[in-house]
Amino acid sequence: MKNKELPTTIRVVLADDHDLVRSGIKALLAMIAGVEVIAEAHDGRELVTLVESLQPDVVMTDISMPGMDGIAAITEIHSKFPEVRLLVLSMYDTVDFVKRAVANGACGYLMKDAPPFELEQALRSVMATGSYFSPTIAQRLL
């Protein structure tokens, strides 16, 4: 999105196979001005379908989901819609998971145990600069 104005409302599609986790993240996102969760998916296949029909600004996805996992979904979405920002929300903090996500098109990686304020930080960062990595993740990558 370089050389383009940032959208006034950041349209987000959220994917996680745990309803309670997804609801909690959605509630936190609803508290951020200028952010709208336009759809939710419980697996990678549903996520790809939603992105194809809605073309959001940002996808926030878990990695571990039934059927098509988050990495496979990221790969497919990134190849079809390279302008969509793909932010991973995961409990996995190993360098291998992060590198696989980034190699397949993710531009950010946020840990599920991050403090709530970091969710807004991550979202605004991927929109403004094209990337965001939790401090824990950045440290491991270095």
Side-chain angles (χ1 to χ4, degrees):
M1 272 200 139
K2 296 203 186 320
N3 301 332
K4 278 189 185 179
E5 277 188 43
L6 294 178
T8 52
T9 299
I10 301 169
R11 300 167 65 247
V12 178
V13 172
L14 187 57
D16 194 294
D17 59 321
H18 296 98
D19 293 344
L20 197 56
V21 171
R22 205 173 56 244
S23 296
I25 294 165
K26 182 180 180 181
L28 288 170
L29 289 170
M31 295 167 42
I32 303 171
V35 174
E36 181 187 1
V37 176
I38 58 170
E40 298 175 55
H42 70 277
D43 63 39
R45 177 56 46 214
E46 185 181 14
L47 175 59
V48 170
T49 302
L50 287 169
V51 171
E52 287 171 344
S53 64
L54 299 171
Q55 297 187 20
D57 301 306
V58 177
V59 165
M60 297 181 108
T61 185
D62 189 10
I63 286 181
S64 180
M65 295 186 288
M68 177 188 273
D69 71 6
I71 299 285
I74 285 168
T75 305
E76 192 169 328
I77 292 165
H78 185 67
S79 70
K80 292 179 180 178
F81 306 99
E83 71 285 355
V84 173
R85 306 281 201 240
L86 297 157
L87 178 62
V88 173
L89 273 169
S90 183
M91 63 181 191
Y92 299 110
D93 63 354
T94 63
V95 170
D96 178 56
F97 272 107
V98 179
K99 285 184 173 178
R100 279 180 49 218
V102 171
N104 287 286
C107 66
Y109 203 100
L110 179 64
M111 296 304 302
K112 282 187 177 176
D113 64 358
F117 76 85
E118 201 176 324
L119 191 62
E120 179 175 4
Q121 207 173 24
L123 198 54
R124 298 224 184 269
S125 182
V126 297
M127 289 305 296
T129 68
S131 72
Y132 180 85
F133 293 91
S134 287
T136 312
I137 297 299
Q139 202 170 28
R140 292 226 165 101
L141 289 172
L142 293 174

